[in-house]
Amino acid sequence: MPFPKRVFSGIQPSGDLHLGNYLGAIKRFVPLQDEFDCIYCVVDMHAITVWQEPEDLKRRTYEVAAAYLAAGLDPKKSIIFNQSQVAEHAELAWVFNCVARMGWMARMTQFKDKAGKNSENVSLGLFAYPSLMAADILLYKTTHVPVGEDQKQHLELTRDIAAKFNHDFSASIAARGHDGDYFPITEPVITGPATRVMSLRDGTKKMSKSDSSSEMATIYLMDDADAITKKIKKAKTDPEPLPSEAKGLEARPEAANLVGIYAALADTTIDAVLSQYGGQGFGVFKPALAELAVSVLGPQAAEMRRLVADPGEIEAVLRDGADRARVLAEKNMAEIRDIVGFVR
Ligand code: AMP
Ligand code: TRP
């Protein structure tokens, strides 16, 4: 029997949200609500894999939830909650820690990047993190996960964990009357012109929450119009005019990044942007991009500020979302305990 379609995605409340999070993830969550049953999570348990000041963690949890709502996620259509309110995420992650292999985890490039030369001294949670991510996804038998390009490897690992669980426990799964596999093999949804937004100062580096190289490299969702405009006008570029076809962007990472950002913000394609701006220089393109970015992000930043100023509304959304998520999680986790052989 095919698995019913379900979407799950999550964002960590671990730093200030930026344009990469918006274009690579949040913006793409919105239209999926009309097509699928969607669950959007603020993954606070992932955030503590590196140190978070407790008060900052709370504030940022509200900010991610506010960004979801401001972008157009509708708590009536989608389940919106924070991970730590549904204990089954941690419980299933433990089971998956015992399914996943050390070698699989050791290959994760994000762990290697984050741990750097310091790998003896980072938390055990940071190493096990992909197993918690697999639990988030599979706890709800999720079939589709919209994310940015950087999460591809973690989703492949999620598929490996699902397949190994289905295989290792196949007899127990069948004995409990389940028809075929227990977990779906989840599809990543990595689409559109901005699945990897790059730093405005270096077109070969990903835009990230933790870019300390320069505050000009990152557009934050809470930036005001002046900051957005200044950052775009000062963005690194080359002296050539824009090409009229996408092929002409190949060896021009900074130009490619700005065109991709424009296309994503305007809900169009890179080819369409180039057919309008091909042959023009950045003196024309950058002000147009700045104006577009301010018109899209400005109203959302205002709504985020309104929501976080009085978090009662966000708290109610998260509590209600957690109650709805917990119903699904409890049902599946009871089956998983039984499949594994835990006495109840
Ligand atoms: P994180 O900030 O790591 O919690 O990421 C949240 C979501 O934003 C994930 O789906 C990431 O893939 C996505 N994301 C983060 N940085 C970027 C970026 N520079 N470009 C596109 N997507 C991104
Ligand atoms: N690891 C993701 C990131 O850093 C966040 C995340 C946690 C996630 N659990 C998830 C994304 C489940 C999609 C689905 O961006």
Side-chain angles (χ1 to χ4, degrees):
M1 202 180 62
F3 289 89
K5 288 188 177 164
R6 154 143 9 246
V7 167
F8 183 102
S9 197
I11 294 189
Q12 303 187 57
S14 58
D16 294 330
L17 288 170
H18 55 76
L19 187 63
N21 297 131
Y22 177 63
L23 296 179
I26 303 172
K27 181 175 159 63
R28 296 173 43 237
F29 297 170
V30 180
L32 293 169
Q33 298 182 106
D34 298 318
E35 236 187 293
F36 299 102
D37 284 334
C38 296
I39 306 179
Y40 295 118
C41 191
V42 185
V43 287
D44 47 7
M45 288 161 59
H46 276 88
I48 63 163
T49 55
V50 298
W51 172 250
Q52 306 293 332
E53 285 296 338
E55 287 309 314
D56 289 344
L57 183 63
K58 280 196 182 148
R59 176 176 54 79
R60 288 180 167 139
T61 299
Y62 291 144
E63 274 174 18
V64 176
Y68 282 171
L69 298 176
L73 292 189
D74 178 350
K76 289 196 203 68
K77 291 186 195 158
S78 301
I79 294 179
I80 299 171
F81 76 110
N82 60 307
Q83 189 183 26
S84 60
Q85 288 205 62
V86 179
E88 283 79 5
H89 288 250
E91 185 179 354
L92 183 56
W94 180 259
V95 173
F96 287 169
N97 281 345
C98 303
V99 172
R101 307 288 91 183
M102 290 291 283
W104 299 2
M105 296 290 169
R107 278 196 289 278
M108 294 295 114
T109 56
Q110 192 177 74
F111 174 78
K112 289 191 246 181
D113 290 346
K114 282 199 178 179
K117 292 195 183 67
N118 196 28
S119 68
E120 291 292 304
N121 203 30
V122 294
S123 75
L124 179 56
L126 190 69
F127 188 69
Y129 164 123
S131 156
L132 178 59
M133 178 162 164
D136 300 339
I137 294 167
L138 296 172
L139 182 55
Y140 305 97
K141 302 194 181 184
T142 301
T143 55
H144 293 82
V145 178
V147 277
E149 167 75 34
D150 60 349
Q151 295 302 311
K152 201 167 168 202
Q153 198 187 27
H154 289 154
L155 285 169
E156 280 160 12
L157 188 105
T158 298
R159 292 160 67 95
D160 291 343
I161 289 177
K164 183 160 160 60
F165 183 99
N166 288 338
H167 175 265
D168 291 354
F169 292 101
S170 59
S172 184
I173 291 167
R176 269 147 201 90
H178 297 289
D179 181 15
D181 288 340
Y182 185 75
F183 289 122
I185 305 300
T186 306
E187 294 290 336
V189 183
I190 303 175
T191 50
T195 54
R196 190 173 176 82
V197 176
M198 308 308 274
S199 153
L200 298 181
R201 304 301 309 163
D202 178 352
T204 63
K205 249 179 61 186
K206 191 179 72 169
M207 185 177 283
S208 79
K209 285 174 182 160
S210 52
D211 194 332
S212 51
S213 67
S214 153
E215 63 174 52
M216 296 302 282
T218 309
I219 293 178
Y220 295 103
L221 294 190
M222 294 283 231
D223 277 350
D224 61 21
D226 285 350
I228 294 174
T229 305
K230 200 162 114 202
K231 288 176 186 183
I232 290 177
K233 291 203 171 151
K234 296 225 159 118
K236 185 178 167 202
T237 44
D238 55 44
E240 302 296 318
L242 285 173
S244 27
E245 284 176 18
K247 212 172 163 355
L249 292 171
E250 270 168 19
R252 300 175 62 187
E254 283 85 12
N257 190 36
L258 295 184
V259 172
I261 290 171
Y262 190 108
L265 284 171
D267 271 325
T268 182
T269 60
I270 287 179
D271 285 325
V273 177
L274 292 179
S275 75
Q276 189 180 351
Y277 288 100
Q280 309 260 29
F282 287 100
V284 171
F285 184 67
K286 278 181 171 179
L289 176 59
E291 194 182 322
L292 173 64
V294 168
S295 76
V296 174
L297 301 178
Q300 289 188 54
E303 176 66 356
M304 282 174 73
R305 281 192 206 97
R306 184 189 73 78
L307 286 163
V308 296
D310 176 12
E313 190 178 331
I314 301 175
E315 278 168 352
V317 167
L318 294 177
R319 215 175 303 120
D320 172 66
D323 288 344
R324 286 151 66 199
R326 206 175 294 115
V327 171
L328 304 170
E330 278 172 355
K331 174 178 173 291
N332 289 343
M333 199 62 223
E335 291 175 356
I336 296 162
R337 286 184 207 115
D338 200 26
I339 289 168
V340 171
F342 292 151
V343 173
R344 43 173 181 158

